[in-house]
Amino acid sequence: MITANEALARLKAGNQRFMSGVRSLETDIKSTNRAGFVGGQEPFAIVLGCSDSRVPAEIIFDQGLGDLFVIRVAGNIVAPSQVGSVEFAAEQFGTPLVVVLGHSKCGAVTATLNELKNPSQATSSSNVMSIVNRIRPSIQPLFESGVHQDPDKLLTACIHANMLAATNHLRHGSQILEQLVMKGDLKIIGAKYSLETGEVTFFE
Ligand SMILES: [Zn+2]
């Protein structure tokens, strides 16, 4: 297995290719080699991202079959099943890198902001509210502080805060992951994808 830094370099290189509109031959070849992965998998990175149709991890990082262990949920929130999925991959496959991937114009964060603005008009189901309630604690202070008057700037700051909160939750909400990080076997970092430019910015 490669190191966390090598894994990160592969993601960065893949995102550069995506931004320039080129696909690597290796990605294409891998994606036609279904049979080669029947016996097992060795994903080099775990990505916890949003379900947004515009942010598919394999495409924006130009990776092929078997490369990424991807967990997608609206708002890239961290609930027990997400922690469990990351623990499973990190332990089972020895994957060295976890990336929590937020993105610009996230609908789940927007919905949570709307909820904060108009709490009485809540019409969401309890299932949707379980997502909103995961996002709320990290963005409520920003909303209430009033530092960002501009709605776009407020949303951007909230998306960043939500991504950082999810990253911290993964780092400290699991003994298994905490120990892997302490031993130097796992790195957990945050990142943000820009719908506008296609670029992923990493926060190490
Ligand atoms: Zn989103």
Side-chain angles (χ1 to χ4, degrees):
M1 182 55 83
I2 60 175
T3 67
N5 287 338
E6 286 165 346
L8 182 56
R10 271 176 78 170
L11 291 181
K12 284 180 177 170
N15 180 239
Q16 284 297 323
R17 290 194 298 274
F18 170 72
M19 282 176 70
S20 354
V22 286
R23 250 171 92 83
S24 87
L25 196 59
E26 205 192 332
T27 301
D28 279 339
I29 291 169
K30 245 187 222 156
S31 297
T32 56
N33 180 25
R34 206 171 57 236
F37 293 100
V38 174
Q41 57 174 318
E42 208 176 84
F44 73 85
I46 300 164
V47 179
L48 169 62
C50 182
S51 302
D52 193 302
S53 64
R54 300 164 293 182
V55 197
E58 288 86 349
I59 295 179
I60 65 167
F61 290 119
D62 186 36
Q63 299 300 322
L65 278 187
D67 283 333
L68 303 179
F69 190 92
V70 181
I71 304 140
R72 287 177 70 180
V73 58
N76 43 270
I77 56 160
V78 177
S81 54
Q82 280 79 43
V83 179
S85 301
V86 174
E87 286 177 347
F88 174 78
E91 283 203 307
Q92 203 73 22
F93 313 124
T95 306
L97 179 69
V98 181
V99 177
V100 176
L101 183 65
H103 69 96
S104 60
K105 297 191 160 63
C106 182
V109 177
T110 305
T112 308
L113 261 178
N114 290 338
E115 179 70 29
L116 285 167
K117 284 176 197 158
N118 303 304
S120 57
Q121 288 170 17
T123 51
S124 306
S125 73
S126 62
N127 302 309
V128 171
M129 284 310 289
S130 74
I131 294 173
V132 165
N133 289 337
R134 290 261 168 206
I135 298 174
R136 185 191 284 126
S138 61
I139 72 167
Q140 192 156 10
L142 270 171
F143 173 74
E144 285 171 355
S145 73
V147 244
H148 299 288
Q149 292 301 324
D150 178 65
D152 286 343
K153 284 197 178 122
L154 175 63
L155 178 60
T156 303
C158 288
I159 288 166
H160 193 79
N162 177 54
M163 177 272 292
L164 286 182
T167 310
N168 272 328
H169 189 155
L170 277 187
R171 280 182 186 145
H172 304 296
S174 152
Q175 258 183 20
I176 290 172
L177 298 181
E178 204 159 30
Q179 274 167 12
L180 284 171
V181 170
M182 263 165 50
K183 278 197 292 179
D185 291 341
L186 186 70
K187 203 169 178 175
I188 303 174
I189 62 172
K192 263 198 316 192
Y193 173 73
S194 162
L195 292 181
E196 294 81 358
T197 64
E199 185 172 22
V200 176
T201 309
F202 293 89
F203 304 91
E204 292 174 55

